[in-house]
């Protein structure tokens, strides 16, 4: 067990087990949880006793609802350097998971959003259950899809990533499998047995290339059918309206369509931060040509531009502080978001660049 009470580490047989243990905050990641997890992964990477890592969340509702953005908001209001340290350490953790050399298995048995996506989707196995709700909802808080969202969203079947980024659409297990963001579906009440079988797999003497076949066999044997994906049913509408070369073209396309689907989606986008929509569009376009580490450096630049702007603070105020859900975005319309402001979110940071090594 670790020193930080909000995250637990234990060895279960040949598995390193991580439990995000902050259930009252839907297991949202604090800087301390991020640092503790990163340090433990470095240890397990070299430790032959840990053949694989499983990550799960405590409590009935969430795997992990995101980052502790409330703390970042308070830091920004007070001028503390947590606005830099939080994102720097979170993105370095995302990178450590992306490059982790052993099987990494995330049990997404509940809400999995933002920062929760960042500590799961970069690993090799992502298990969804009937309780999974996945989303990248950051345009609703005046931010942008981060934690590697630029990388994994820009690599989904087009234009699904843009659709998820702009709308913050929530995926269930069937949707998550359809997009490829989840790799398996296992009923929630079978997870304990699945973990038990993984933990007693004796792979220490094995040839390492047989390890993944054995994990897959266990996960597949416990798998069930997730049902039909709503996203799959909507894919024609999504492609038609989101396969455009600007956010305003997406909005125009939706306005021209009198269907209920189009008006619902137009309404959603009109509630999002116009600046967030514009920078998220630019982010995904740029990310398509960048490797993972370059994506993280870009996201860090974007995070710091948002810390120096208006909408992140207004978004957190409206969603997490006052909970009036009535943010007053500035600028208030997409037409007022200038090209200069968008480009400023991608400027190099000189001395304070995210350096990964
Ligand atoms: C959009 C978001 C987030 C959000 C709500 C949104 C987000 C996030 C949280 C969150 C949830 C529970 C907590 C917490 C933060 O909510 O990124 O500290 O306890 O982390 O509409 O992007």
């Amino acid at each position: 067990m670790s020193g930080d009470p909000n995250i637990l580490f234990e060895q279960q047989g040949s598995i390193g087990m991580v439990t995000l243990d902050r259930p009252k905050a839907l297991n949202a990641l604090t800087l301390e949880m991020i640092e503790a997890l990163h340090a433990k992964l470095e240890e397990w990477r070299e430790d032959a006793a840990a053949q694989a890592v499983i990550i799960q969340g405590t409590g009935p509702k969430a795997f992990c609802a995101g980052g502790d953005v409330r703390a970042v908001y308070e830091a920004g209001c007070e001028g503390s350097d947590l606005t830099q340290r939080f994102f720097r350490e979170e993105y370095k953790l995302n990178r450590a998971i992306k490059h982790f050399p052993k099987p990494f298995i995330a049990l997404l048995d509940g809400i999995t959003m933002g920062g929760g996506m960042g500590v799961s989707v970069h690993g090799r196995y992502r298990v969804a259950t009937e309780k999974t709700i996945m989303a990248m909802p950051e345009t609703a808080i005046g931010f942008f899809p981060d934690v590697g969202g630029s990388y994994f969203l820009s690599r989904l079947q087009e234009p699904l990533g843009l659709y998820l980024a702009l709308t913050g659409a929530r995926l269930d297990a069937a949707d998550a499998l359809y997009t490829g963001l989840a790799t398996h579906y296992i009923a929630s009440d079978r997870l304990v047995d699945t973990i038990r079988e993984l933990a007693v797999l004796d792979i220490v003497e094995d040839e390492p290339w047989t390890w993944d076949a054995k994990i897959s066999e266990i996960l597949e044997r416990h798998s069930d059918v997730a049902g039909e994906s709503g996203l799959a049913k909507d894919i024609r509408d999504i492609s038609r309206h989101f396969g455009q070369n600007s956010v305003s073209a997406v909005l125009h396309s939706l306005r021209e369509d009198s269907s209920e689907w189009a008006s619902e989606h137009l309404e959603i986008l009109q509630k999002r931060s116009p600046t967030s929509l514009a920078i998220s569009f630019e982010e995904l376009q740029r990310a398509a040509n960048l490797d993972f580490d370059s994506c993280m450096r870009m996201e860090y630049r974007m995070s710091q531009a948002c810390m120096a702007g208006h909408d992140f603070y207004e978004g957190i105020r409206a969603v997490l502080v006052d909970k009036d859900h009535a943010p007053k975005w500035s600028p208030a319309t997409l037409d007022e978001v200038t090209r200069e402001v968008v480009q400023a979110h991608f400027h190099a940071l000189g001395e304070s660049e995210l350096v990964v090594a």
Side-chain angles (χ1 to χ4, degrees):
M1 296 288 160
S2 76
D4 193 295
N6 291 322
I7 184 164
L8 310 173
F9 304 108
E10 59 195 311
Q11 187 85 29
Q12 262 194 49
S14 48
I15 301 271
M17 191 85 197
V18 181
T19 305
L20 306 174
D21 187 31
R22 202 173 162 240
K24 284 181 185 155
L26 303 176
N27 300 322
L29 301 168
T30 63
L31 178 61
E32 291 67 34
M33 292 161 75
I34 288 166
E35 288 177 335
L37 177 51
H38 196 164
K40 185 57 80 172
L41 289 178
E42 304 236 300
E43 187 186 315
W44 280 339
R45 194 176 47 171
E46 309 301 331
D47 181 357
Q51 297 291 332
V53 169
I54 297 179
I55 185 167
Q56 64 181 359
T58 296
K61 281 193 186 159
F63 166 71
C64 173
D68 187 7
V69 282
R70 172 97 193 230
V72 175
Y73 163 93
E74 282 162 10
C77 296
E78 293 161 9
S80 140
D81 69 354
L82 186 70
T83 54
Q84 294 160 45
R85 284 199 297 140
F86 182 84
F87 295 109
R88 185 178 290 278
E89 296 308 320
E90 186 179 34
Y91 300 173
K92 281 164 65 181
L93 170 61
N94 301 145
R95 178 179 185 276
I97 294 170
K98 175 73 185 174
H99 297 296
F100 195 67
K102 299 177 182 181
F104 187 98
I105 306 159
L107 305 179
L108 308 178
D109 193 21
I111 296 164
T112 304
M113 297 191 190
M117 297 284 281
V119 293
S120 58
V121 294
H122 304 306
R124 212 172 302 164
Y125 302 95
R126 292 90 62 181
V127 178
T129 76
E130 72 278 10
K131 295 197 294 180
T132 301
I133 301 171
M134 264 191 188
M136 291 299 282
E138 293 87 355
T139 59
I141 56 164
F143 206 56
F144 61 94
D146 66 336
V147 297
S150 64
Y151 184 87
F152 68 75
L153 292 174
S154 67
R155 279 153 179 82
L156 299 182
Q157 178 200 309
E158 288 208 54
L160 265 181
L162 182 67
Y163 170 74
L164 299 180
L166 297 183
T167 64
R170 293 170 176 219
L171 312 186
D172 65 13
D175 298 330
L177 285 167
Y178 170 73
T179 58
L181 291 171
T183 59
H184 294 79
Y185 175 79
I186 298 181
S188 184
D189 64 8
R190 295 193 67 166
L191 289 178
V192 171
D193 284 345
T194 306
I195 293 168
R196 197 174 296 142
E197 282 193 38
L198 289 168
V200 299
L201 250 187
D202 180 20
I203 34 65
V204 179
E205 303 299 322
D206 270 352
E207 310 286 8
W209 57 83
T210 66
W211 188 203
D212 270 299
K214 291 182 175 181
I215 290 180
S216 296
E217 188 277 321
I218 291 172
L219 295 179
E220 278 160 30
R221 192 154 35 72
H222 288 278
S223 287
D224 216 326
V225 180
E228 264 197 85
S229 158
L231 206 58
K233 282 193 206 127
D234 290 346
I235 194 65
R236 287 174 65 88
D237 284 319
I238 293 169
S239 297
R240 184 152 62 94
H241 293 300
F242 287 78
Q244 309 284 338
N245 57 21
S246 69
V247 180
S248 56
V250 172
L251 294 174
H252 180 77
S253 179
L254 291 168
R255 276 196 198 97
E256 294 289 291
D257 180 345
S258 60
S259 73
E260 201 173 313
W261 192 93
S263 57
E264 278 171 13
H265 282 79
L266 186 59
E267 202 176 313
I268 290 167
L269 292 179
Q270 283 167 339
K271 288 185 184 151
R272 302 295 181 247
S273 153
T275 303
S276 291
L277 294 178
I279 65 173
S280 299
F281 187 95
E282 177 77 12
E283 176 196 12
L284 263 59
Q285 291 236 307
R286 288 179 178 239
N289 302 310
L290 299 177
D291 65 19
F292 186 83
D293 291 355
S294 304
C295 280
M296 297 321 298
R297 183 171 50 214
M298 174 179 73
E299 290 183 14
Y300 186 70
R301 292 172 179 176
M302 295 178 74
S303 77
Q304 297 310 293
C306 289
M307 292 304 104
H310 169 274
D311 279 3
F312 171 77
Y313 300 99
E314 176 59 11
I316 297 296
R317 182 205 63 73
V319 172
L320 295 178
V321 179
D322 298 338
K323 300 189 168 86
D324 59 25
H325 294 275
K328 293 190 168 57
W329 306 123
S330 174
T333 67
L334 195 61
D335 288 340
E336 295 169 89
V337 182
T338 64
R339 195 180 151 69
E340 288 67 38
V341 163
V342 173
Q343 295 306 316
H345 285 74
F346 298 86
H347 285 167
L349 297 173
E351 295 278 280
S352 53
E353 206 76 80
L354 178 73
V355 182
V356 290

